[in-house]
RNA sequence: GCUCCGGUGGUGUAGCCCGGCCAAGCAUUAGGGGCUCUCAACCCCUCGACCCGGGUUCAAAUCCCGGCCGGAGCACCA
């Protein structure tokens, strides 16, 4: 979604703020402070300013006090459950209409720690008769003592809730447009009360629909747990839908940007389409990915009937990038994938791509010349890899790991996205041995 | 239950505000063919949608009403 914010700013001019909303110390991912800006940078989203809400508590407190003075907020000592019940009945708490002085006094007591957690809460008055119960008087500050904030430690015990801090920031930063999920619709209505009380100018709100990704885990809490339990190798595990995972697999930021731009902003829920994203990425990557052979589930076979074979394959079929060259000497042993091997009948002639023709025999291959015309008459084409190839593991998005061999020239393309012929686009890395992360076909 | 949104092919989107040029465009996917020493790219073809019912109108995907379906929220989370 940051992409769409960025596009807005690009098209119409303006400033893009990245706001880190860390006002709930129970649920803060310390890694996120770095990960979010990094991810945005990778996406090419130009953030003009970063605002961290935990830096701004004093500001929220100022407005909180003003609102109390105006009589538009109150501090209730009624337990949460009872308050909720009263609201559903459209009734005020017993302390809602006490004079502002009393509430200001209570506010000071909140700040100084005289109340324990849950003993007092700061509420914004709206309309108790509002037909939508979700809109009636809402909590804006609460007391938290049992946990330290990763950035603030125990400096504050009164924490703003999202609706208050967000509204104050939106106004203070003079936002003109707010893009948020439609799950915030009611929050927008709630925040409007603050705008009205303070007489602020309202930004334009755009609410977009729910995005679902089939077969993909998006919830950060689940990911975090999975990583902790060792189920995932990290935030970039290829099974995940995180930006880091996509990056690792060689999905380019431009493809993601293009995808979201075409999806646009609507209040309808949408189902994310991997196919479409892959299509955009393929478009970007097709012309730069070098072609290599990778044989998974390898079957070793010997080619009999020749002493020496030479072959040559272009690194790209349509663009001049040079060649991979092969010289094989007797005994000539190669790998092909089991799938191919099993599909070919004994006695059938087929072509080893860019090498030669062979006939399948019981347990070996028989050299059959190098006449390309056999392909025209319907012979199968199979990719292969010489005996001296490098072991390579490819991680698939569904969690499968394919083991096999990649031709040694792949070493020239470490950290690049390549296309393993008849297999798919794969980003190559090397630690001790070659590993690939599969992007798409 | 209450409040609020929304419903165009498998997926996403254009058109809806300002009715006709929409026998609904585009992309992706799927199927078929061509080309190619890849199951990539490229070219061609095909399948496939206006949620339903009324109304207004010469004319409705577009306006109105009702229904159905889907979603969101109803937290001292964001």
């Amino acid at each position: 979604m940051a992409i769409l914010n960025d596009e807005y700013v690009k098209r119409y001019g303006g400033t893009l703020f990245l706001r880190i909303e860390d006002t709930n110390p129970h649920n803060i991912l310390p890694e996120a402070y770095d990960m979010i800006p990094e991810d945005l940078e990778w996406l090419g989203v130009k953030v003009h300013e970063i605002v961290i809400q935990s830096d701004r508590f004093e500001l929220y407190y100022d407005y909180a006090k003003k609102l109390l003075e105006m009589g538009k907020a109150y501090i209730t000592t009624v337990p949460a459950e009872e308050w909720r019940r009263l609201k559903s009945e459209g009734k005020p708490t017993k302390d809602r209409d006490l004079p502002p002085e009393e509430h200001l006094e209570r506010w000071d007591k909140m700040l100084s720690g005289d109340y324990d957690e849950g003993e007092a809460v700061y509420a914004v008055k709206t309309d108790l008769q509002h037909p939508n119960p979700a809109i009636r008087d809402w909590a804006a500050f609460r007391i938290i003592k049992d946990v330290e904030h990763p950035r603030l430690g125990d400096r504050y015990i009164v924490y703003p809730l999202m609706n208050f801090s967000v509204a104050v920031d939106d106004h203070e930063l003079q936002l003109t447009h707010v893009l948020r999920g439609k799950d915030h619709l009611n929050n927008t209505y709630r925040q409007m009360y603050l705008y009205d009380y303070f007489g602020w100018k309202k930004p334009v709100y755009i609410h977009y629909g729910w995005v679902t990704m089939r077969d993909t885990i998006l919830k950060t809490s689940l990911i975090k747990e999975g990583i902790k339990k060792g189920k995932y190798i990290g935030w970039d595990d290829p099974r995940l839908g995180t930006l880091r995972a996509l990056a690792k697999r060689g999905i380019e930021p431009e493809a993601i940007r293009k995808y979201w731009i075409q999806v646009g902003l609507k209040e309808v829920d949408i189902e994310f389409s991997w196919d479409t994203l892959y299509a955009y990425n393929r478009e970007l990557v097709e012309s730069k990915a070098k072609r290599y052979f990778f044989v998974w589930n390898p079957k070793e076979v010997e080619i009999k009937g020749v002493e020496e074979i030479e072959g040559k394959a272009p690194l790209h079929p349509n663009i001049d990038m040079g060649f991979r060259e092969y010289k094989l000497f007797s005994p000539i042993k190669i790998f092909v994938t089991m799938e191919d091997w099993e599909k070919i009948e004994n006695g059938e002639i087929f072509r080893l791509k860019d090498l030669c023709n062979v006939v399948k025999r019981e347990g070996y291959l028989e050299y059959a010349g190098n006449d390309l015309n056999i392909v025209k008459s319907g012979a199968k084409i199979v990719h292969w890899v010489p005996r001296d190839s490098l072991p390579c593991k490819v991680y698939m998005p569904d969690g499968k790991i394919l083991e096999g061999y990649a031709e040694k020239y792949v070493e020239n393309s470490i950290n690049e996205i390549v296309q393993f012929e008849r297999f798919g686009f794969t980003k190559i890395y090397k630690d001790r041995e070659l590993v690939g992360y599969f992007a798409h076909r």
Side-chain angles (χ1 to χ4, degrees), chain A residues 65 92 96 142 144 155 180 183 186 200 212 246 279 297 334 381 399 418:
Chain A
K65 197 168 175 186
R96 184 181 195 257
R142 60 173 170 167
I144 296 177
R155 216 164 105 209
R180 52 166 67 146
D183 47 322
N186 282 332
W200 294 338
T212 52
L246 295 179
N297 204 357
I334 61 163
I381 297 172
V418 305

Side-chain angles (χ1 to χ4, degrees), chain A residues 81-325:
Chain A
E81 230 166 88
E82 191 185 338
W83 188 35
R84 216 174 295 142
R85 203 199 74 233
L86 288 167
K87 278 196 289 188
S88 69
E89 293 168 5
K91 291 180 186 156
T93 60
K94 61 180 191 292
D95 42 15
R96 184 181 195 257
D97 296 314
L98 294 172
E101 296 74 46
E102 167 66 19
H103 288 124
L104 283 162
E105 211 171 286
R106 289 184 178 191
W107 175 239
D108 286 334
K109 282 168 76 182
M110 265 178 92
L111 292 173
S112 61
D114 287 0
Y115 292 111
D116 262 338
E117 278 190 39
E119 279 185 359
V121 66
Y122 178 116
V124 172
K125 291 184 189 174
T126 64
D127 176 1
L128 287 173
Q129 302 309 316
H130 198 288
N132 184 351
I135 310 297
R136 298 174 192 161
D137 288 16
W138 45 273
F141 289 89
R142 60 173 170 167
I143 297 165
I144 296 177
K145 290 182 173 174
D146 69 334
V147 60
E148 293 204 350
H149 189 284
R151 290 181 77 243
L152 302 170
D154 57 6
R155 216 164 105 209
Y156 296 101
I157 51 173
V158 175
Y159 283 83
L161 273 330
M162 172 262 177
N163 274 307
F164 196 92
S165 57
V166 158
V168 167
D169 283 336
D170 287 351
H171 168 257
E172 280 284 317
L173 303 171
Q174 299 179 54
L175 297 202
T176 55
H177 295 259
V178 175
L179 275 48
R180 52 166 67 146
K182 71 175 184 183
D183 47 322
H184 285 295
L185 257 167
N186 282 332
N187 288 322
T188 301
Y189 297 138
R190 288 181 179 132
Q191 291 165 27
M192 285 308 103
Y193 282 88
L194 289 187
Y195 280 81
D196 289 336
Y197 293 151
F198 288 119
W200 294 338
K201 187 168 181 261
K202 292 172 187 167
V204 175
Y205 290 88
I206 298 169
H207 298 95
Y208 50 80
W210 246 108
V211 178
T212 52
M213 266 190 191
R214 204 181 296 171
D215 305 326
T216 308
I217 293 138
L218 283 178
K219 289 199 74 171
T220 46
S221 54
L222 283 177
I223 296 174
K224 198 180 165 188
E225 198 190 313
I227 292 173
K228 208 170 149 194
K229 286 189 178 160
K231 188 177 166 200
Y232 302 124
I233 53 182
W235 287 95
D236 58 1
D237 189 288
R239 285 164 286 183
L240 301 175
T242 59
L243 287 172
R244 297 167 114 82
L246 295 179
K248 186 124 194 184
R249 291 168 50 197
I251 307 292
E252 310 219 337
E254 290 75 23
I256 298 173
R257 175 173 294 258
K258 199 172 169 197
Y259 178 82
W260 285 111
I261 289 173
Q262 75 96 19
V263 167
L265 286 171
K266 298 216 317 189
E267 261 185 51
V268 236
D269 299 339
I270 60 154
E271 186 180 330
F272 178 85
S273 162
W274 286 107
D275 284 336
T276 307
L277 177 67
Y278 292 160
Y280 290 144
N281 199 61
R282 193 178 299 121
E283 204 173 282
L284 292 166
V285 130
E286 213 287 323
S287 63
K288 61 184 176 200
K290 296 194 178 91
R291 311 301 154 112
Y292 297 105
F293 290 145
F294 165 64
V295 167
W296 60 97
N297 204 357
K299 155 91 182 162
E300 186 176 355
V301 274
E302 184 171 351
I303 303 174
K304 296 186 178 166
V306 251
E307 287 303 304
E308 183 183 337
I309 318 177
E310 283 187 28
K312 184 170 158 178
L315 284 165
H316 194 286
N318 317 315
I319 299 168
D320 183 17
M321 293 185 177
F323 294 87
R324 323 164 245 161
E325 291 174 24

